[in-house]
Amino acid sequence: MTTTLDIARPVTIGPEAYTSPDYARAEQERLWRKTWLQAGRVEDIPEVGNYITYDIGPDSVIIVRTAPDSLRAYHNVCPHRGRRLIDTPAGARNARGTKANFICGFHGWTFDLHGKNTYVEHKDDWQGCLDEHRTSLGTVQVDEWGGWLWINLDPDAGPLADYLDPAASLLEPYELQNMRPRWRKWVVFECNWKVAMEAFAETYHVSTTHPEFNEFGQFRGWARSHGLHTHIGYEAPKDIGEDAGKLRLGSGADPRVSTAEMQVFTWENANTNTTMTLVDAARRLVDELPEDTPAADVSKHWIQSARAADAARGVVWPTVDPAHTAKAGTAWQIFPNFQIGQAVNNMLCYAARPYGTDPDKCIFEAAVYELYPAGEAPATEWAYTEPNDWPPVLQQDFTNMAAVQQGMKNVGFRGTQPNPYMERSIVSLHRNLAAYMGAGAPEPLG
């Protein structure tokens, strides 16, 4: 468990955690089987019998709705001969469907939604040894928070609520469970899962990796640690608290114009961190406000205008005090491999996990969510998307991710040296990783 003070000192982190095959293999037992993992969205299994699967390395889990208000999760393996019960369709991120029971395709052993075996052909051949314990599906801990499904492969793990504290309490005002995905993309990428997550866990890279945004303002940010988890945010003027969050004002000579330009650029080149309602409200600023309107008033008008426009079509934003926005920041890194970039009406989330036991590959995924009128959310699926088909801004991040993985193996590389202020989230990740893995703790510089 780390604090901001622990990670404020300059350190270096060796490349083993990113490149070592032995380290990658050890992660399965020491990390992935011991932590709470975000495995899907609650709305993906709304009806009894709906299920999804989630794979982490060689382990696979079935999450199923057993009643309108009840979920169960099971190891995706038949206790007879070890065949997976549910196969992932070719080219799909995971399996998804509806079943009244689960039938093994090898010998027909059958299990109800509560994991109990209901059929074994020629059961008497086992001479009475097949008791319920030996024939039932192995259970996995499952819970929900924020609209997500969470699993833990450790039967002795503590409650999800304790694990997520204090990230969950600081994110509760955003009512993330009410948002629905605008798009969901995934890809098998040529880098370690930690390289992928770290590419989005700091603001230090924005001015260089995404130079187009320099026209719209300064993006100096902070990172703070809260035990297992961290969060990041932007420094902002005292009178524009929203600028510490996702709904940022353009800082050009005329904030009405620069805000509209930044919103349009973001929509067209990233398709993240905004909505069409916000874009349209920003475009109206030059018509609705005089040219000399102070920046703080432009920010207030823009957000109020967008909120009212959404309310008129049946989309009600939660009310989050600007002081809380400044405190909550722009994104939370939930240990070990999930990031939530929250705003009052949209969010951008990233996740990465190993691709087999290859330290040089990962499954990377991103999803953009927003609020929709009741019954009007699009029906999205996870779409496998080649790197050059992602939005241009994300392609800029991808270029770094692949190059970092290559550079980590260079004989001349002496280890990372994270910015002690803006990249503290990376230091925190490795301090906590070292506690699970027993190796790779950051070492002081100097």
Side-chain angles (χ1 to χ4, degrees):
M1 302 290 283
T2 64
T3 66
T4 295
L5 181 62
D6 293 331
I7 60 176
R9 301 180 182 90
V11 299
T12 183
I13 302 166
E16 179 190 21
Y18 304 95
T19 62
S20 166
D22 290 339
Y23 188 102
R25 284 189 290 268
E27 282 181 333
Q28 191 67 29
E29 182 63 35
R30 299 179 187 177
L31 179 70
W32 303 116
R33 292 175 178 171
K34 299 295 183 183
T35 53
W36 282 96
L37 303 172
Q38 182 275 117
R41 288 290 289 182
V42 174
E43 61 265 21
D44 285 342
I45 51 172
E47 305 293 336
V48 174
N50 291 168
Y51 71 88
I52 61 170
T53 60
Y54 179 79
D55 297 345
I56 180 70
D59 295 317
S60 182
V61 176
I62 303 169
I63 307 168
V64 60
R65 183 165 296 284
T66 57
D69 59 351
S70 180
L71 301 169
R72 297 289 295 271
Y74 308 106
H75 293 288
N76 184 15
V77 60
C78 180
H80 172 219
R81 291 275 297 280
R83 191 202 191 284
R84 279 195 176 186
L85 289 172
I86 305 294
D87 295 322
T88 302
R93 172 188 179 269
N94 60 282
R96 178 180 176 184
T98 304
K99 289 185 179 292
N101 50 35
F102 299 102
I103 303 174
C104 180
F106 199 178
H107 298 91
W109 282 33
T110 303
F111 311 87
D112 65 20
L113 296 184
H114 296 276
K116 183 177 180 180
N117 184 289
T118 59
Y119 176 76
V120 174
E121 188 173 12
H122 304 305
K123 186 175 183 180
D124 290 344
D125 291 350
W126 275 266
Q127 305 165 41
C129 291
L130 291 186
D131 57 18
E132 185 172 329
H133 171 71
R134 289 190 171 274
T135 59
S136 295
L137 297 181
T139 59
V140 173
Q141 290 206 63
V142 62
D143 205 344
E144 59 182 276
W145 172 83
W148 287 285
L149 302 164
W150 301 77
I151 61 166
N152 197 313
L153 298 172
D154 183 358
D156 298 320
L160 175 64
D162 293 347
Y163 184 86
L164 292 178
D165 182 66
S169 59
L170 284 166
L171 287 170
E172 284 293 345
Y174 294 90
E175 300 179 3
L176 306 181
Q177 68 275 9
N178 295 330
M179 299 187 192
R180 297 293 181 267
R182 185 166 77 224
W183 56 258
R184 298 190 273 188
K185 301 179 186 293
W186 71 288
V187 66
V188 176
F189 203 77
E190 304 293 325
C191 73
N192 189 270
W193 68 270
K194 291 174 284 294
V195 170
M197 294 307 300
E198 291 168 10
F200 303 94
E202 43 85 1
T203 60
Y204 189 39
H205 74 284
V206 174
S207 62
T208 304
T209 299
H210 311 297
E212 300 88 351
F213 282 101
N214 293 334
E215 298 181 20
F216 308 123
Q218 297 296 313
F219 292 88
R220 178 170 171 79
W222 46 262
R224 297 167 186 157
S225 177
H226 298 268
L228 283 175
H229 317 300
T230 56
H231 66 150
I232 59 177
Y234 294 116
E235 295 178 352
K238 292 182 179 179
D239 57 346
I240 312 180
E242 292 286 357
D243 258 28
K246 291 287 187 184
L247 307 189
R248 291 176 58 77
L249 197 68
S251 62
D254 187 339
R256 304 171 309 159
V257 175
S258 58
T259 298
E261 291 174 344
M262 181 166 66
Q263 284 294 301
V264 170
F265 179 86
T266 301
W267 180 265
E268 294 178 348
N269 293 276
N271 201 4
T272 63
N273 299 330
T274 191
T275 68
M276 185 51 67
T277 302
L278 284 166
V279 173
D280 289 341
R283 284 171 166 157
R284 294 194 300 267
L285 289 172
V286 293
D287 297 323
E288 297 175 347
L289 297 174
E291 185 175 350
D292 58 351
T293 303
D297 292 339
V298 172
S299 176
K300 182 178 180 180
H301 179 90
W302 170 47
I303 294 171
Q304 287 180 343
S305 176
R307 182 188 288 269
D310 261 352
R313 66 188 188 99
V315 174
V316 179
W317 299 8
T319 299
V320 181
D321 188 271
H324 186 89
T325 298
K327 184 178 180 181
T330 62
W332 280 82
Q333 295 76 45
I334 306 300
F335 184 83
N337 69 325
F338 185 46
Q339 176 162 301
I340 304 169
Q342 78 284 352
V344 289
N345 67 340
N346 73 93
M347 62 178 167
L348 167 62
C349 299
Y350 299 111
R353 50 198 158 109
Y355 183 72
T357 57
D358 188 343
D360 295 325
K361 290 185 177 181
C362 72
I363 297 171
F364 175 77
E365 52 195 50
V368 169
Y369 301 79
E370 66 175 277
L371 294 171
Y372 290 95
E376 295 185 18
T380 65
E381 299 287 348
W382 285 100
Y384 188 88
T385 307
E386 293 293 344
N388 58 1
D389 291 328
W390 288 63
V393 170
L394 291 172
Q395 290 185 44
Q396 293 172 327
D397 293 301
F398 289 173
T399 300
N400 288 334
M401 289 154 56
V404 165
Q405 189 67 24
Q406 294 172 352
M408 289 278 187
K409 297 180 178 182
N410 191 309
V411 68
F413 181 62
R414 296 185 294 272
T416 66
Q417 302 176 82
N419 183 306
Y421 178 69
M422 299 181 73
E423 296 183 301
R424 291 173 179 172
S425 53
I426 294 172
V427 180
S428 178
L429 170 63
H430 285 269
R431 284 191 182 277
N432 284 309
L433 275 173
Y436 279 82
M437 298 294 295
E443 297 182 358
L445 281 176

